[in-house]
């Protein structure tokens, strides 16, 4: 459960840092003599704070739920054995819920303390680098407890929900070993897929409505934000149907050798596990790309409206905000990395017998390591491409819904337009690609060592 505690801690810290960064930015803007008394600015900051809080809560919920669901899936056989000797289904589910609550509390407290410490250090660095003095800002705030509370609740809920499949399996069936559902079985779950499609359609409709409302008022970003949450939730639920074929298709680009084929086919053999790993990386890449595109678009539009160049004060403010937001890239990358390492490691542990059989029939240690590395590479490549596309779309929708009502004259002819075109900054995109490449190597280190640590004879003896 150590990895689950770590994920909960990072998720809690992520929320704390987001809220602290937003509060500090608000104090920084209020201290500006030119725009500090702006009523519109207050509204925009309030909206921004609410949106960032929603993002923090959502990231925490997805990461902790996916991680704990995978951990619970790996304990199927143990729970079935306990039921076989007399333990009731209710008792086992209650035990899982208690463990989820303990994991959530430990992780939330660690994240709260660590996130506050990181935020304090960030404020000190910002003040020293920008030469800021006299900023009215209190770091210790009551709302910082909210991400920690949400992490506790989502971890407990993930433990409870993750136990449903375990307790549906009869003890005698589980005695043969714990195997995740295959792609054919998962794709036949119509209820889940209907819910996923409904959420994606509803989310897309709200995104479009938010963009249209943005032509009249910046409050359209709230509607667009809800649309983004719903559409991504639908994608997360339906990822078990969509991501495995995509992973398999990406895997075919790595050749037709035995190792490459095995790595590609494993996405369909364990669709739920591979989807959980992929969606975590998709979420991190989407979040970073979304902020980068939105910030670049906003800065470009404001520059055009100001006649081609922003005042130095406004440039400083925008650059400070961009630095704060991009500083959170490291946090989201760590969340994705821990989740991917954890799920890959659990997958290798649960597949020790399979890996031992592959080594027994002729695969070398190098080929087994290469197969695990290719699985990680397939996931990060597919997730990065999906995240970049989603991030551009969400970032453009956010910028459009905020700035659609701002009339600017791009060519000096007196004509105005309300359509904001997305501006994709190359720097963050390159950084994302490099970071995911490093993530692949880091995430595969522990699983590849575990894959060959047990001898084939010992692995085959595992039930």
């Amino acid at each position: 459960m150590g990895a689950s505690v770590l994920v909960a801690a990072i998720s809690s810290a992520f929320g704390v840092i987001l809220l602290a960064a937003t509060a500090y930015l608000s104090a920084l803007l209020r201290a500006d003599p030119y725009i500090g008394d702006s009523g519109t600015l207050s509204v925009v900051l309030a909206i921004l704070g609410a949106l960032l809080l929603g993002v923090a809560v959502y990231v925490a919920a997805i990461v902790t739920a996916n991680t704990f669901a995978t951990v619970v899936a790996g304990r199927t056989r143990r729970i079935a054995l306990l039921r076989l000797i007399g333990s009731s289904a209710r008792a086992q589910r209650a035990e899982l819920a208690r463990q989820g609550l303990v994991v959530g509390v430990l992780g939330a407290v660690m994240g709260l303390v660590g996130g506050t410490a990181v935020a304090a250090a960030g404020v000190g660095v910002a003040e020293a680098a920008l030469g800021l003095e006299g900023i009215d800002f209190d770091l210790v705030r009551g709302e910082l407890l909210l991400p920690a509370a949400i992490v506790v609740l989502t971890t407990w809920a993930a433990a409870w929900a993750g136990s449903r499949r375990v307790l549906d399996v009869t003890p005698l069936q589980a005695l043969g070993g714990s195997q995740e559902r295959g792609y054919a079985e998962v794709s036949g779950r119509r209820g889940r897929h209907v819910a996923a499609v409904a959420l994606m359609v509803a989310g897309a409709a709200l995104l479009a409505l938010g963009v249209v409302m943005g032509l009249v008022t910046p409050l359209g970003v709230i509607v667009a934000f809800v649309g983004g949450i719903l559409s991504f939730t639908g994608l997360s639920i339906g990822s078990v149907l969509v991501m495995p074929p995509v992973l398999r298709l990406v895997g075919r680009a790595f050749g037709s050798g035995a190792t490459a084929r095995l790595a590609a086919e494993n996405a369909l053999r364990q669709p739920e596990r591979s989807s959980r790993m992929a969606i975590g990386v998709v979420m991190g890449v989407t979040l970073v790309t979304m902020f980068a595109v939105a910030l670049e678009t906003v800065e470009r539009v404001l520059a055009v409206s100001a006649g081609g160049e922003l005042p130095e004060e406004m440039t400083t403010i925008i650059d400070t905000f961009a630095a704060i937001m991009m500083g959170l890239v490291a946090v989201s990358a760590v969340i994705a990395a821990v989740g991917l390492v954890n799920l890959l490691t659990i997958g290798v542990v649960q597949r020790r017998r399979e890996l031992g059989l592959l080594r027994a029939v002729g695969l070398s240690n190098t080929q087994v390591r290469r197969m695990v590395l290719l699985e990680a590479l397939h996931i990060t490549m597919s997730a990065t491409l999906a995240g970049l596309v989603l991030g551009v779309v969400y970032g453009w929708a956010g910028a459009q819904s905020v700035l659609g009502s701002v009339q600017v004259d791009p060519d000096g002819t007196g004509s105005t337009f309300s359509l904001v075109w997305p501006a994709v900054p190359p720097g963050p995109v390159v950084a994302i690609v490099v970071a995911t490449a490093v993530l692949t190597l880091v995430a595969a280190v522990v699983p590849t060592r575990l894959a060959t640590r047990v001898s084939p004879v010992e692995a085959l003896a595992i039930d």
Side-chain angles (χ1 to χ4, degrees):
M1 289 294 180
S4 299
V5 173
L6 180 58
V7 168
I10 296 175
S11 301
S12 178
F14 182 65
V16 170
I17 294 171
L18 273 176
L19 292 182
T22 305
Y24 182 73
L25 180 63
S26 300
L28 179 64
L29 294 179
R30 285 195 302 268
D32 190 278
Y34 299 98
I35 59 177
D37 297 328
S38 173
T40 302
L41 177 61
S42 300
V43 174
V44 172
L45 289 176
I47 294 173
L48 179 62
L51 296 183
L52 290 177
L53 175 59
V55 169
V57 169
Y58 188 72
V59 169
I62 293 292
V63 172
T64 53
N66 282 344
T67 301
F68 209 93
T70 303
V71 172
V72 171
R75 298 172 58 187
T76 301
R77 187 170 183 273
R78 173 181 175 273
I79 294 174
L81 286 171
L82 290 174
R83 291 183 60 193
L84 184 64
I85 62 176
S87 179
S88 66
R90 175 177 295 183
Q92 287 302 305
R93 199 166 196 184
E95 179 188 355
L96 289 172
R98 286 193 298 270
Q99 290 180 0
L101 184 61
V102 171
V103 167
V105 170
L106 290 176
V109 172
M110 292 170 58
L112 179 62
V113 175
T116 304
V118 172
V123 169
V125 171
E127 291 180 347
L130 301 175
L132 302 175
E133 295 181 359
I135 302 298
D136 184 16
F137 172 69
D138 294 324
L139 177 61
V140 181
R141 312 166 67 88
E143 58 262 32
L144 296 184
L145 295 174
L146 186 57
I150 295 296
V151 166
V152 172
L153 292 176
T154 53
T155 306
W156 172 81
W160 181 261
S163 66
R164 177 179 300 176
R165 181 227 167 179
V166 172
L167 302 181
D168 285 341
V169 179
T170 65
L172 290 178
Q173 289 174 324
L175 285 175
S178 59
Q179 295 293 331
E180 291 201 27
R181 290 178 285 246
Y183 185 74
E185 183 180 355
V186 169
S187 60
R189 301 167 63 188
R190 296 184 180 275
R192 176 170 181 167
H193 303 326
V194 169
V197 172
L199 285 172
M200 284 189 284
V201 171
L206 288 177
L207 273 174
L209 178 61
V211 170
V212 173
M213 288 180 60
L215 300 176
V216 181
T217 171
L219 295 178
V221 70
I222 299 178
V223 178
F225 174 76
V226 175
I229 291 291
L230 290 179
S231 60
F232 195 87
T233 301
L235 178 64
S236 299
I237 295 175
S239 63
V240 71
L241 185 65
V242 177
M243 290 306 300
V246 173
L247 292 171
R248 187 185 190 188
L249 182 63
V250 171
R252 290 180 177 176
F254 288 85
S256 57
T259 303
R261 289 202 308 270
L262 283 170
E265 293 298 328
N266 280 336
L268 292 182
R269 292 181 57 247
Q270 292 98 19
E272 292 176 313
R273 182 187 302 138
S274 59
S275 298
R276 284 193 291 263
M277 287 189 285
I279 205 64
V281 181
V282 169
M283 180 176 57
V285 174
T286 299
L287 179 63
V288 174
T289 307
M290 178 182 68
F291 275 116
V293 170
L295 289 170
E296 185 74 9
T297 303
V298 168
E299 185 171 4
R300 184 170 299 181
V301 170
L302 292 178
V304 171
S305 64
E309 186 176 353
L310 288 173
E312 183 178 352
E313 295 84 359
M314 182 62 70
T315 301
T316 301
I317 292 174
I318 293 177
D319 290 343
T320 302
F321 177 72
I324 292 174
M325 292 298 101
M326 290 301 102
L328 298 174
V329 172
V331 179
S332 59
V334 169
I335 291 176
V338 171
L340 186 59
V341 171
N342 189 32
L343 297 181
L344 276 173
T345 303
I346 292 173
V348 169
V349 170
Q350 294 174 357
R351 293 161 54 198
R352 282 180 296 176
R353 182 179 177 85
E354 171 198 331
L355 296 175
L357 178 61
L358 290 174
R359 292 170 64 194
V361 298
L363 257 67
S364 65
N365 289 347
T366 301
Q367 287 177 308
V368 172
R369 293 192 188 99
R370 186 183 304 155
M371 183 185 71
V372 176
L373 178 61
L374 286 176
E375 289 178 11
L377 185 59
H378 298 166
I379 290 169
T380 53
M381 284 186 60
S382 304
T384 300
L385 292 175
L388 288 173
V389 173
L390 289 173
V392 171
V393 173
Y394 287 146
W396 170 80
Q400 173 66 50
S401 58
V402 171
L403 299 177
S405 58
V406 177
Q407 302 293 316
V408 297
D409 182 8
D411 52 14
T413 61
S415 62
T416 60
F417 70 97
S418 298
L419 182 63
V420 177
W421 294 102
V424 182
V429 172
V430 173
I432 289 171
V433 173
V434 172
T436 52
V438 174
L439 170 62
T440 302
L441 298 176
V442 173
V445 170
V446 175
T448 53
R449 293 180 61 187
L450 289 176
T452 55
R453 180 174 296 178
V454 181
S455 69
V457 175
E458 293 174 336
L460 292 174
I462 298 173
D463 292 331

